[in-house]
Amino acid sequence: MNNQVKGLLFYYTLEQKHYSKIFWTILIAITLATSIIAYFLMDVEGTQFYWAFPFATYTNVCIIAFQTVKKDVPFGLKMGSIRKNIFLSYIYFFLGYSLFMAVAGNTLQLIFEGLHHVFGVTNYIFSHPAMILTDTWLTRTIIDTFFMFFLMALLFLVGLIFYQSGLLGGLIFLSVFVVVSLYGLFDGWLIDAFASILPDASMLTFATLFLIGIVLYLVSYLLIRKITVVQKV
């Protein structure tokens, strides 16, 4: 890893540090508040709380990956970074950030599960995709890392398409995606695909998503190598 890539990674990490503090503070506050409410409502028949950390962390990485194209890529170019190093720095950042979010989210869930056990909170249920497999901290972390990297690669590519082709080009791309998805839903083949995948889901399924994320990220190089500091509108 050369010094330019290290410098870019330092910049990405420093910039996300502030936003991460805000994100985790809000997430912990919401989980704590709903846990307290659940504690006082335990005697109310039929009261159950469902909470899923992955929905919050998955949304976070999507926003980070999409916004980073508009904010960080032009900054890197203005600072004299070559496009190859920008490309390399982002794959390291996406891998590291996905792993960090997965470890932090699942450790936090583990802590709250322990607190609920101590205080006898039984009406608060944490949901996670790992529940379809062996639901442990390790499997949750691996699944989240794989899936979040896939999401970051996908949204990074979408962000580059918007950046390179402007709002019109981006909207045309999204429109085609929505039309194909709706056609799949109405025609039934998309539902059939999910129905056949979910019952047979395994760690290999999420590993495949990770590999698809790698391919999407490699495709993004076709856009990065021609990118300029001027964003099309």
Side-chain angles (χ1 to χ4, degrees):
M1 189 186 298
N2 61 49
N3 289 333
Q4 196 171 79
V5 174
K6 289 179 182 176
L8 287 168
L9 282 173
F10 177 75
Y11 167 70
Y12 303 152
T13 306
L14 198 64
E15 190 183 46
Q16 294 307 324
K17 192 176 177 181
H18 173 68
Y19 296 111
S20 287
K21 286 180 181 176
I22 296 174
F23 172 78
W24 288 110
T25 301
I26 293 173
L27 194 59
I28 291 171
I30 293 174
T31 311
L32 187 61
T34 51
S35 295
I36 293 172
I37 295 171
Y39 175 79
F40 286 108
L41 293 179
M42 272 198 303
D43 293 334
V44 179
E45 187 178 354
T47 303
Q48 283 193 323
F49 287 74
Y50 292 90
W51 185 248
F53 280 110
F55 288 118
T57 52
Y58 294 172
T59 304
N60 176 278
V61 299
C62 287
I63 295 171
I64 295 295
F66 184 79
Q67 288 188 337
T68 197
V69 176
K70 186 178 178 181
K71 291 191 306 178
D72 299 340
V73 172
F75 176 81
L77 291 172
K78 288 176 183 176
M79 291 295 104
S81 303
I82 61 174
R83 289 160 180 77
K84 180 183 175 183
N85 284 340
I86 292 175
F87 174 75
L88 289 175
S89 64
Y90 272 117
I91 194 167
Y92 291 135
F93 176 69
F94 289 166
L95 285 169
Y97 194 73
S98 299
L99 180 61
F100 163 73
M101 293 295 284
V103 170
N106 290 300
T107 302
L108 193 60
Q109 177 174 331
L110 204 63
I111 292 171
F112 271 99
E113 285 175 337
L115 289 173
H116 288 176
H117 179 72
V118 170
F119 290 97
V121 180
T122 56
N123 58 344
Y124 200 104
I125 300 167
F126 288 99
S127 300
H128 194 282
M131 293 170 74
I132 59 177
L133 306 173
T134 305
D135 190 11
T136 65
W137 181 89
L138 184 60
T139 54
R140 293 174 196 165
T141 302
I142 294 173
I143 287 172
D144 284 349
T145 303
F146 284 166
F147 192 56
M148 282 193 277
F149 178 81
F150 164 76
L151 291 175
M152 294 194 87
L154 176 63
L155 268 295
F156 185 67
L157 183 59
V158 173
L160 285 171
I161 292 171
F162 269 90
Y163 190 91
Q164 290 285 61
S165 58
L167 183 62
L168 180 61
L171 289 177
I172 290 173
F173 170 78
L174 287 183
S175 299
V176 171
F177 177 77
V178 170
V179 168
V180 171
S181 299
L182 289 176
Y183 177 76
L185 286 173
F186 287 118
D187 199 48
W189 57 264
L190 192 58
I191 297 174
D192 292 340
F194 279 112
S196 62
I197 290 173
L198 287 178
D200 299 325
S202 65
M203 194 58 77
L204 183 61
T205 306
F206 295 98
T208 304
L209 275 178
F210 175 72
L211 292 177
I212 293 172
I214 294 286
V215 172
L216 291 175
Y217 191 77
L218 292 175
V219 171
S220 73
Y221 185 68
L222 298 175
L223 297 172
I224 290 179
R225 69 191 183 96
K226 294 181 179 179
I227 201 166
T228 66
V229 295
V230 181
Q231 178 184 359
K232 292 185 179 179
V233 294

